[in-house]
mmCIF file of all heavy atoms in Angstrom:
data_model
loop_
_atom_site.group_PDB
_atom_site.id
_atom_site.type_symbol
_atom_site.label_atom_id
_atom_site.label_comp_id
_atom_site.label_asym_id
_atom_site.label_seq_id
_atom_site.Cartn_x
_atom_site.Cartn_y
_atom_site.Cartn_z
ATOM 1 N N LYS A 8 -0.813 -20.243 9.991
ATOM 2 C CA LYS A 8 -1.946 -20.421 9.124
ATOM 3 C C LYS A 8 -1.785 -19.538 7.872
ATOM 4 O O LYS A 8 -1.285 -18.457 7.961
ATOM 5 C CB LYS A 8 -3.265 -20.069 9.827
ATOM 6 C CG LYS A 8 -3.561 -21.032 10.966
ATOM 7 C CD LYS A 8 -4.915 -20.722 11.602
ATOM 8 C CE LYS A 8 -5.259 -21.710 12.710
ATOM 9 N NZ LYS A 8 -6.537 -21.385 13.376
ATOM 10 N N GLU A 9 -2.274 -20.050 6.753
ATOM 11 C CA GLU A 9 -2.164 -19.359 5.520
ATOM 12 C C GLU A 9 -3.021 -18.095 5.524
ATOM 13 O O GLU A 9 -4.132 -18.089 6.026
ATOM 14 C CB GLU A 9 -2.576 -20.238 4.341
ATOM 15 C CG GLU A 9 -2.349 -19.606 2.931
ATOM 16 C CD GLU A 9 -2.634 -20.638 1.840
ATOM 17 O OE1 GLU A 9 -2.503 -21.791 2.043
ATOM 18 O OE2 GLU A 9 -3.068 -20.159 0.757
ATOM 19 N N LEU A 10 -2.493 -16.964 5.066
ATOM 20 C CA LEU A 10 -3.184 -15.704 4.994
ATOM 21 C C LEU A 10 -3.980 -15.664 3.680
ATOM 22 O O LEU A 10 -3.397 -15.629 2.613
ATOM 23 C CB LEU A 10 -2.163 -14.551 5.027
ATOM 24 C CG LEU A 10 -2.765 -13.142 4.916
ATOM 25 C CD1 LEU A 10 -3.624 -12.781 6.121
ATOM 26 C CD2 LEU A 10 -1.591 -12.126 4.744
ATOM 27 N N PRO A 11 -5.290 -15.569 3.793
ATOM 28 C CA PRO A 11 -6.112 -15.514 2.613
ATOM 29 C C PRO A 11 -6.076 -14.154 1.937
ATOM 30 O O PRO A 11 -6.048 -13.106 2.612
ATOM 31 C CB PRO A 11 -7.535 -15.834 3.116
ATOM 32 C CG PRO A 11 -7.516 -15.372 4.490
ATOM 33 C CD PRO A 11 -6.159 -15.549 4.984
ATOM 34 N N TYR A 12 -6.101 -14.069 0.626
ATOM 35 C CA TYR A 12 -6.077 -12.790 -0.080
ATOM 36 C C TYR A 12 -6.715 -12.987 -1.442
ATOM 37 O O TYR A 12 -6.716 -14.134 -2.003
ATOM 38 C CB TYR A 12 -4.701 -12.146 -0.179
ATOM 39 C CG TYR A 12 -3.707 -12.982 -0.979
ATOM 40 C CD1 TYR A 12 -3.495 -12.736 -2.344
ATOM 41 C CD2 TYR A 12 -2.938 -14.002 -0.398
ATOM 42 C CE1 TYR A 12 -2.641 -13.488 -3.089
ATOM 43 C CE2 TYR A 12 -2.009 -14.657 -1.159
ATOM 44 C CZ TYR A 12 -1.839 -14.420 -2.488
ATOM 45 O OH TYR A 12 -0.973 -15.142 -3.225
ATOM 46 N N LEU A 13 -7.222 -11.919 -1.997
ATOM 47 C CA LEU A 13 -7.869 -12.035 -3.361
ATOM 48 C C LEU A 13 -6.978 -11.629 -4.523
ATOM 49 O O LEU A 13 -7.359 -11.843 -5.637
ATOM 50 C CB LEU A 13 -9.122 -11.079 -3.320
ATOM 51 C CG LEU A 13 -10.310 -11.478 -2.459
ATOM 52 C CD1 LEU A 13 -10.005 -11.177 -0.988
ATOM 53 C CD2 LEU A 13 -11.565 -10.756 -2.840
ATOM 54 N N GLY A 14 -5.814 -11.041 -4.190
ATOM 55 C CA GLY A 14 -4.896 -10.578 -5.186
ATOM 56 C C GLY A 14 -4.237 -9.324 -4.682
ATOM 57 O O GLY A 14 -4.205 -9.141 -3.440
ATOM 58 N N TYR A 15 -3.773 -8.478 -5.564
ATOM 59 C CA TYR A 15 -3.143 -7.216 -5.100
ATOM 60 C C TYR A 15 -3.490 -6.097 -6.011
ATOM 61 O O TYR A 15 -4.011 -6.319 -7.151
ATOM 62 C CB TYR A 15 -1.563 -7.377 -4.985
ATOM 63 C CG TYR A 15 -0.841 -7.292 -6.333
ATOM 64 C CD1 TYR A 15 -0.353 -6.178 -6.850
ATOM 65 C CD2 TYR A 15 -0.753 -8.491 -7.148
ATOM 66 C CE1 TYR A 15 0.333 -6.103 -8.062
ATOM 67 C CE2 TYR A 15 -0.095 -8.462 -8.363
ATOM 68 C CZ TYR A 15 0.467 -7.276 -8.808
ATOM 69 O OH TYR A 15 1.111 -7.250 -10.038
ATOM 70 N N ILE A 16 -3.261 -4.890 -5.548
ATOM 71 C CA ILE A 16 -3.527 -3.681 -6.330
ATOM 72 C C ILE A 16 -2.270 -2.865 -6.346
ATOM 73 O O ILE A 16 -1.365 -2.975 -5.446
ATOM 74 C CB ILE A 16 -4.743 -2.828 -5.823
ATOM 75 C CG1 ILE A 16 -4.420 -2.334 -4.374
ATOM 76 C CG2 ILE A 16 -5.977 -3.621 -5.899
ATOM 77 C CD1 ILE A 16 -5.397 -1.285 -3.909
ATOM 78 N N GLU A 17 -2.112 -2.019 -7.280
ATOM 79 C CA GLU A 17 -1.035 -1.017 -7.259
ATOM 80 C C GLU A 17 -1.595 0.283 -6.660
ATOM 81 O O GLU A 17 -2.490 0.936 -7.252
ATOM 82 C CB GLU A 17 -0.549 -0.720 -8.705
ATOM 83 C CG GLU A 17 0.251 -1.882 -9.403
ATOM 84 C CD GLU A 17 1.589 -2.106 -8.770
ATOM 85 O OE1 GLU A 17 2.061 -1.187 -8.037
ATOM 86 O OE2 GLU A 17 2.130 -3.166 -8.954
ATOM 87 N N ALA A 18 -1.191 0.534 -5.460
ATOM 88 C CA ALA A 18 -1.798 1.612 -4.664
ATOM 89 C C ALA A 18 -0.740 2.721 -4.419
ATOM 90 O O ALA A 18 0.466 2.530 -4.447
ATOM 91 C CB ALA A 18 -2.309 1.091 -3.337
ATOM 92 N N THR A 19 -1.321 3.903 -4.093
ATOM 93 C CA THR A 19 -0.443 5.038 -3.631
ATOM 94 C C THR A 19 -0.753 5.251 -2.160
ATOM 95 O O THR A 19 -1.960 5.252 -1.761
ATOM 96 C CB THR A 19 -0.749 6.325 -4.394
ATOM 97 O OG1 THR A 19 -2.128 6.645 -4.328
ATOM 98 C CG2 THR A 19 -0.351 6.137 -5.899
ATOM 99 N N ILE A 20 0.271 5.357 -1.392
ATOM 100 C CA ILE A 20 0.124 5.626 0.067
ATOM 101 C C ILE A 20 0.982 6.856 0.414
ATOM 102 O O ILE A 20 2.081 7.064 -0.022
ATOM 103 C CB ILE A 20 0.599 4.462 0.871
ATOM 104 C CG1 ILE A 20 -0.346 3.237 0.624
ATOM 105 C CG2 ILE A 20 0.682 4.731 2.341
ATOM 106 C CD1 ILE A 20 0.136 1.985 1.319
ATOM 107 N N GLN A 21 0.398 7.682 1.249
ATOM 108 C CA GLN A 21 1.133 8.884 1.706
ATOM 109 C C GLN A 21 0.899 9.086 3.198
ATOM 110 O O GLN A 21 -0.263 9.130 3.679
ATOM 111 C CB GLN A 21 0.557 10.147 0.952
ATOM 112 C CG GLN A 21 1.318 11.407 1.344
ATOM 113 C CD GLN A 21 0.793 12.608 0.526
ATOM 114 O OE1 GLN A 21 0.171 12.451 -0.525
ATOM 115 N NE2 GLN A 21 0.971 13.797 1.053
ATOM 116 N N ALA A 22 1.989 9.148 3.957
ATOM 117 C CA ALA A 22 1.875 9.543 5.342
ATOM 118 C C ALA A 22 1.741 11.042 5.449
ATOM 119 O O ALA A 22 2.476 11.777 4.756
ATOM 120 C CB ALA A 22 3.109 9.024 6.133
ATOM 121 N N GLU A 23 0.832 11.520 6.267
ATOM 122 C CA GLU A 23 0.595 12.938 6.328
ATOM 123 C C GLU A 23 1.784 13.790 6.682
ATOM 124 O O GLU A 23 1.921 14.914 6.162
ATOM 125 C CB GLU A 23 -0.605 13.274 7.288
ATOM 126 C CG GLU A 23 -1.896 12.710 6.809
ATOM 127 C CD GLU A 23 -3.062 13.147 7.703
ATOM 128 O OE1 GLU A 23 -3.050 12.741 8.865
ATOM 129 O OE2 GLU A 23 -3.953 13.828 7.217
ATOM 130 N N PHE A 24 2.690 13.269 7.489
ATOM 131 C CA PHE A 24 3.886 14.075 7.899
ATOM 132 C C PHE A 24 4.915 14.098 6.777
ATOM 133 O O PHE A 24 5.893 14.867 6.879
ATOM 134 C CB PHE A 24 4.504 13.492 9.169
ATOM 135 C CG PHE A 24 4.950 12.040 9.057
ATOM 136 C CD1 PHE A 24 6.213 11.771 8.624
ATOM 137 C CD2 PHE A 24 4.110 11.005 9.340
ATOM 138 C CE1 PHE A 24 6.707 10.435 8.511
ATOM 139 C CE2 PHE A 24 4.527 9.714 9.216
ATOM 140 C CZ PHE A 24 5.833 9.366 8.794
ATOM 141 N N LEU A 25 4.728 13.392 5.728
ATOM 142 C CA LEU A 25 5.689 13.364 4.601
ATOM 143 C C LEU A 25 5.206 14.299 3.449
ATOM 144 O O LEU A 25 5.827 14.414 2.404
ATOM 145 C CB LEU A 25 5.881 11.960 3.997
ATOM 146 C CG LEU A 25 6.664 11.020 4.934
ATOM 147 C CD1 LEU A 25 6.759 9.664 4.297
ATOM 148 C CD2 LEU A 25 8.093 11.605 5.242
ATOM 149 N N PHE A 26 4.106 15.009 3.665
ATOM 150 C CA PHE A 26 3.617 16.002 2.707
ATOM 151 C C PHE A 26 3.426 15.463 1.355
ATOM 152 O O PHE A 26 2.558 14.568 1.166
ATOM 153 C CB PHE A 26 4.547 17.279 2.737
ATOM 154 C CG PHE A 26 4.762 17.864 4.020
ATOM 155 C CD1 PHE A 26 5.943 17.648 4.690
ATOM 156 C CD2 PHE A 26 3.766 18.508 4.701
ATOM 157 C CE1 PHE A 26 6.200 18.131 5.949
ATOM 158 C CE2 PHE A 26 3.972 18.998 6.020
ATOM 159 C CZ PHE A 26 5.135 18.868 6.602
ATOM 160 N N ASP A 27 4.197 15.795 0.318
ATOM 161 C CA ASP A 27 3.914 15.404 -1.019
ATOM 162 C C ASP A 27 4.722 14.143 -1.457
ATOM 163 O O ASP A 27 4.769 13.802 -2.671
ATOM 164 C CB ASP A 27 4.254 16.541 -2.022
ATOM 165 C CG ASP A 27 5.770 16.996 -1.873
ATOM 166 O OD1 ASP A 27 6.363 16.603 -0.904
ATOM 167 O OD2 ASP A 27 6.225 17.667 -2.804
ATOM 168 N N LYS A 28 5.336 13.481 -0.487
ATOM 169 C CA LYS A 28 6.122 12.298 -0.873
ATOM 170 C C LYS A 28 5.236 11.078 -0.884
ATOM 171 O O LYS A 28 5.099 10.307 0.038
ATOM 172 C CB LYS A 28 7.218 12.074 0.181
ATOM 173 C CG LYS A 28 8.258 13.247 0.170
ATOM 174 C CD LYS A 28 9.344 13.037 1.205
ATOM 175 C CE LYS A 28 10.321 14.190 1.164
ATOM 176 N NZ LYS A 28 11.386 14.035 2.210
ATOM 177 N N GLU A 29 4.618 10.845 -2.073
ATOM 178 C CA GLU A 29 3.697 9.718 -2.293
ATOM 179 C C GLU A 29 4.466 8.489 -2.602
ATOM 180 O O GLU A 29 5.487 8.529 -3.327
ATOM 181 C CB GLU A 29 2.728 10.088 -3.433
ATOM 182 C CG GLU A 29 1.516 9.221 -3.530
ATOM 183 C CD GLU A 29 0.573 9.716 -4.532
ATOM 184 O OE1 GLU A 29 0.856 9.655 -5.770
ATOM 185 O OE2 GLU A 29 -0.508 10.256 -4.200
ATOM 186 N N ILE A 30 3.985 7.354 -2.111
ATOM 187 C CA ILE A 30 4.694 6.053 -2.338
ATOM 188 C C ILE A 30 3.762 5.178 -3.191
ATOM 189 O O ILE A 30 2.575 5.009 -2.862
ATOM 190 C CB ILE A 30 4.988 5.378 -1.003
ATOM 191 C CG1 ILE A 30 5.885 6.230 -0.114
ATOM 192 C CG2 ILE A 30 5.583 4.011 -1.240
ATOM 193 C CD1 ILE A 30 5.980 5.747 1.298
ATOM 194 N N SER A 31 4.324 4.582 -4.249
ATOM 195 C CA SER A 31 3.566 3.612 -5.088
ATOM 196 C C SER A 31 4.009 2.206 -4.661
ATOM 197 O O SER A 31 5.232 1.934 -4.678
ATOM 198 C CB SER A 31 3.806 3.839 -6.544
ATOM 199 O OG SER A 31 3.288 5.110 -6.946
ATOM 200 N N VAL A 32 3.100 1.367 -4.245
ATOM 201 C CA VAL A 32 3.480 0.077 -3.713
ATOM 202 C C VAL A 32 2.422 -0.952 -3.934
ATOM 203 O O VAL A 32 1.218 -0.597 -4.001
ATOM 204 C CB VAL A 32 3.730 0.179 -2.191
ATOM 205 C CG1 VAL A 32 2.505 0.567 -1.429
ATOM 206 C CG2 VAL A 32 4.382 -1.053 -1.624
ATOM 207 N N PRO A 33 2.755 -2.215 -4.193
ATOM 208 C CA PRO A 33 1.700 -3.274 -4.309
ATOM 209 C C PRO A 33 1.131 -3.548 -2.934
ATOM 210 O O PRO A 33 1.859 -3.686 -1.974
ATOM 211 C CB PRO A 33 2.484 -4.474 -4.875
ATOM 212 C CG PRO A 33 3.862 -4.229 -4.487
ATOM 213 C CD PRO A 33 4.089 -2.740 -4.509
ATOM 214 N N VAL A 34 -0.190 -3.714 -2.889
ATOM 215 C CA VAL A 34 -0.929 -3.888 -1.621
ATOM 216 C C VAL A 34 -1.847 -5.077 -1.766
ATOM 217 O O VAL A 34 -2.605 -5.123 -2.771
ATOM 218 C CB VAL A 34 -1.755 -2.667 -1.269
ATOM 219 C CG1 VAL A 34 -2.646 -2.942 -0.029
ATOM 220 C CG2 VAL A 34 -0.845 -1.471 -0.949
ATOM 221 N N LEU A 35 -1.795 -6.034 -0.826
ATOM 222 C CA LEU A 35 -2.655 -7.228 -0.883
ATOM 223 C C LEU A 35 -4.078 -6.852 -0.538
ATOM 224 O O LEU A 35 -4.291 -6.103 0.391
ATOM 225 C CB LEU A 35 -2.113 -8.267 0.079
ATOM 226 C CG LEU A 35 -0.909 -9.136 -0.308
ATOM 227 C CD1 LEU A 35 -0.577 -10.121 0.795
ATOM 228 C CD2 LEU A 35 -1.086 -9.772 -1.648
ATOM 229 N N VAL A 36 -5.053 -7.444 -1.251
ATOM 230 C CA VAL A 36 -6.417 -7.241 -0.938
ATOM 231 C C VAL A 36 -6.896 -8.520 -0.143
ATOM 232 O O VAL A 36 -6.752 -9.626 -0.596
ATOM 233 C CB VAL A 36 -7.297 -7.153 -2.228
ATOM 234 C CG1 VAL A 36 -8.778 -6.913 -1.895
ATOM 235 C CG2 VAL A 36 -6.811 -5.999 -3.061
#
């Protein structure tokens, strides 16, 4: 089945165990 979404955002994600290694990635809304 088709996955509904409204668009995407440019987000920053950081896993706590990676400390200051922030990731910039497109994320579906």
